[in-house]
Amino acid sequence: MLGGVFHAAVLFLAAAGLQLVFGVQKILNLACGSFYALGAYFGVSLVTWALGAGVPPSLFLGVLILGGVLLAVIGPPVERLLRTISDRDESFQLLLTFALVLMFEDVIRFLWGTAPHQLGSVYLLYGQLKVGALTIPVYNLVVIAAGATIAAAVGWLLTRTRFGRLVRAAAENPRMAEALGIDLARLYSRVFTLGVALGTVGGALVIPATAAVNEMGIELIVEAFAVVVIGGLGSMRGAFAGALIVGVLKAVAIATYPEVEMLAIYVIVIAVLVLRPAGLFARAAA
Amino acid sequence: MATTRRNFLRLLGGASAALAARLDGPPAFAQAGPVKIGVLAAKAGVTAPVGESGLRGTQFAVDRINAAGGILGRRIELVVEEESNPKDTVERFRKLALQTRVDVITGVVSTGVGLAIGPVAEELKTLWLAWDATTQKGVEETMPKPRYSFRSVDNEAEAVMASILTAKHFKGKIKTVAGINNDYSYGRDNWAAFLAIMKKLGMGVTPVVDLWPKLGETNFTSHVAALGQARPDLIFCSFWSGDAPILMKQAHAAGLTATIRFVMTTAGGVHESLKKAFTPEGMILGYNSMYFEAPNASPLLREFVRWHQERFKEWPNYESDHAYFTLAAYRAAVEKAARAAGGKWPSPDQIIEALEGMEVESLSGKRSYRADHIMECSFFQGLSTYRNKHDFVTVDPLEVMSTRQIQKPSGLGLYEWINSWKA
C-alpha cells in the first residue's frame, strides 16, 4: 500500500507538470518524461559532486531539490521552441515533443552514457521505520510528504495568488487575458518552467530509491498518460487523484494477483474512457 | 562514459585511416581492400548498455587484429548500424549485406530481433555471428538448422547454472522460493527452468509468489512489499539491466536482504552498480560468460580489463567477450580456410565449414562453435563478497562451468534434457 503511495507521489509530480502545461497552454508535452529523467541524472551528479565537495550527507535532500529547481532553466528555451507550433494541430505538438524526448535521450546518453547511474547509500541515511513485520525506509515517507507538500503549494499558488489568478484567466480565455494586459508570452514561459520544475524535482526526489536509466522518461510518460486519462486532461486535482489511483491499484494488483499488474491500470483507463470520457475531474481545469 | 561517441568516431576514423594507408601499398591479397565487418549494436533503450559493451569488445578485437596486420593482410573496416526493433534492424541487415556488401555481420542482443534476422541471413546467404539473442523457444521453431547464422549460448544457461549452485549451497536450508523476473520470454523461461531443476534435484521447495514486472520498470516498492509479505526463504531473479540494482536497493531498504537468500542469475551484466551499501554477501551472482576479476585470468583478459578501465573508467562485462569471440573466430576461420584453399581468400561456404567446431582463445578462455552453430564457452558465478577493493560486490569463491554441463546438447529440448539428468 505504502509502496503504491510512494509511486503515486512521483507519478503525481510528473503528471502535474503535464497537466499544468496542457491546462494553460494546451500543449500536450510528451517531454515531461524527459524532464523527469534529466532531473534524476542531474540529481545523481549534483549530489555526488556535493558530497565530494564536503557537503554533509544529511543535506542531500536539499541538494536534490535544489538540483531539480536549477534544472528548470531548460524550461524557457524549450517553451520558446514549442511556442512556434502552439497554434498548429495537436499532432504537430505530439510530434515535436516526442522529437524532444528522443533528443533528450541522446543528450543523456552523451553526457552520462548508457550504464545505470545511482546514489549508492544515501537512500537509507534517514533510517528505516519498523511497523510490526514491515520495514519502511524513512526516505519513502519523505518523498510522499514532499509530493503532498508540492501538491498543496501548487494548489495554493494557483488559487490564492495573483500569479495563479493570471494563470487561470489565461487558461480560461487567453485572448481576453491578453486584451486585459497580461503578458501571455511571459506567463506561458513561467508556467512551462514551473511544469518543467515539477518533472525535474520529481526525478531528483526519486533517484535515491532507484537508479537513473535512460528509458525511465518514456516509462513514466506511459503511466503519466494513464493518470491524465483517469484524472482528466488539464486538471490538477485529476493528476492528484489519478496518480493515487494508478499507484495504489498497481500495488494492490502486485500483492494480490501479480499477473494483472499492468492490465489493472488499463482496465480502469478504459472504464474511465467509456463511462466518463473527459476524466474524473475534467471540469476543474487548472 | 561521456566519451562513448567520441571513441566510436575515433574507431571509425582509425578504420578509414587504415583504409587510406592500405591504398598506398600494393594489395597483399587477391581480394583487395579492407575486410568489411558489419556490426548491429543497440544504442538506445534497455539493451543500450549491452550493445555498448559489445562494441567495446569489438573495438578491442579490431585494434588487435589490425595491429597484427589484419586478416590475411586485409585490415578490418567496421560499419556499425543500430539494433532497434526487429523490422528496422532487418532492413539495416539487408543494407549491410546488399549495399555496403560487408563480408560478415556480427551483433544483435535481443531475441526478438535475432529471430527476425535468422531467416534473412539464410535468404541473403550472409554470414551472421550473433552476440546474444537466443532465448530457446523461438529459436527452436524458426531457426532449426541455420547455415549462415552462428548463434550464441542458450539464454537459459545462466539459470541452469544458478539452479545447480542453489542446490549445492542452499539444499536443506530453503523451503519456499519466490521469483521476480521480467515479463517476457527470457524472464519466463528462466523462472520455469529454475523450478524444473529444483524439482529434478529433489530440493522440495514450494514457490510462494512469482512477480512479473515489465522490462524497464524502475520502481519495485510494491513488488518488494509483496515479497516481504510472502517471506520466501529464497528469491530468484534474472534481471540483467538497470532494474537489478534498483530491486536490490529497495529490497535492502525494506529489510529483505537481511533474512532472505538471493539468486541473481545475470546481474553481473551491471555488476558495478551492485554497491556494497545495499547488496548482501552470500548471494548467488552470475556474470554470464566472462568475469572481469577471474583469479586465474589469462594475459589476454588482463590486457582487456586494463584497456577497458583506462579508456572507459569501468570494469567490463560479458557482452564484450561475446563480441570479441565472434571476430576472433571469424579471423581464425578465414585463415584456416585459406590454408586449405591454397592461400586464396576463402568463399563464405569454406568459412562456414571452418567455423564449425572452431575453437579460439577469447577473453574468458577457450571458446568454440558447435557443429550446430551454437557457442560453447564457460560461465562464471559465485557467492557475492565484500572482500575486494571496489565499492561493489564481486564473487568468491568463483565457480566456473562449461556450457557442456549447463547447455542442452544439440537436438534435445531443454526440459527433455533436464529430465534426462541422473539424480
Side-chain angles (χ1 to χ4, degrees), chain B residues 151-153 325 366-370 374-378 402-405 407:
Chain B
R151 284 138 54 187
S152 188
V153 286
F325 168 69
K366 292 258 188 269
R367 275 181 168 228
S368 56
Y369 277 122
R370 295 195 318 212
I374 290 177
M375 275 188 205
E376 294 275 27
C377 61
S378 295
S402 160
T403 43
R404 290 177 182 89
Q405 294 165 268
Q407 177 168 249

Side-chain angles (χ1 to χ4, degrees), chain A residues 7 118 128 209-210 219 250, chain B residues 214 217-219 250 253 273:
Chain A
H7 188 52
Q118 57 178 339
Q128 288 151 297
T210 176
E219 286 302 320
K250 201 170 157 181
Chain B
K214 66 183 184 303
E217 177 70 67
T218 55
N219 176 19
Q250 294 178 350
S273 62

Side-chain angles (χ1 to χ4, degrees), chain A residues 151-225:
Chain A
V154 172
W156 174 80
L157 189 72
L158 289 178
T159 52
R160 297 270 184 271
T161 64
R162 187 181 137 74
F163 173 70
R165 278 195 296 279
L166 297 183
V167 168
R168 281 181 294 142
E172 199 69 37
N173 190 337
R175 295 281 158 262
M176 181 57 92
E178 201 166 25
L180 290 175
I182 298 178
D183 182 351
L184 271 191
R186 227 176 81 181
L187 186 73
Y188 280 172
S189 179
R190 284 181 179 183
V191 166
F192 191 84
T193 306
L194 181 61
V196 172
L198 286 169
T200 50
V201 168
L205 277 178
V206 78
I207 197 60
T210 176
V213 288
N214 207 331
E215 59 278 7
M216 66 192 295
I218 288 200
E219 286 302 320
L220 191 82
I221 295 169
V222 176
E223 283 193 10
F225 266 80

Side-chain angles (χ1 to χ4, degrees), chain A residues 9 12-13 61 65 140-152 201 205:
Chain A
F12 163 72
L13 290 174
L61 182 67
I65 293 177
N140 287 12
L141 303 176
V142 171
V143 171
I144 293 170
T149 310
I150 292 171
V201 168
L205 277 178

Side-chain angles (χ1 to χ4, degrees), chain B residues 39-42 81-97 105-110 112-114 116-117 120 124 128:
Chain B
V39 183
L40 288 167
E81 289 279 348
E82 186 168 347
E83 172 189 350
S84 55
N85 60 54
K87 185 177 152 289
D88 292 352
T89 314
V90 160
E91 282 315 309
R92 294 189 196 106
F93 187 94
R94 283 184 187 279
K95 185 178 147 206
L96 285 171
I105 296 174
T106 69
V108 184
V109 168
S110 144
V113 176
I117 283 182
V120 182
L124 301 178
W128 168 48

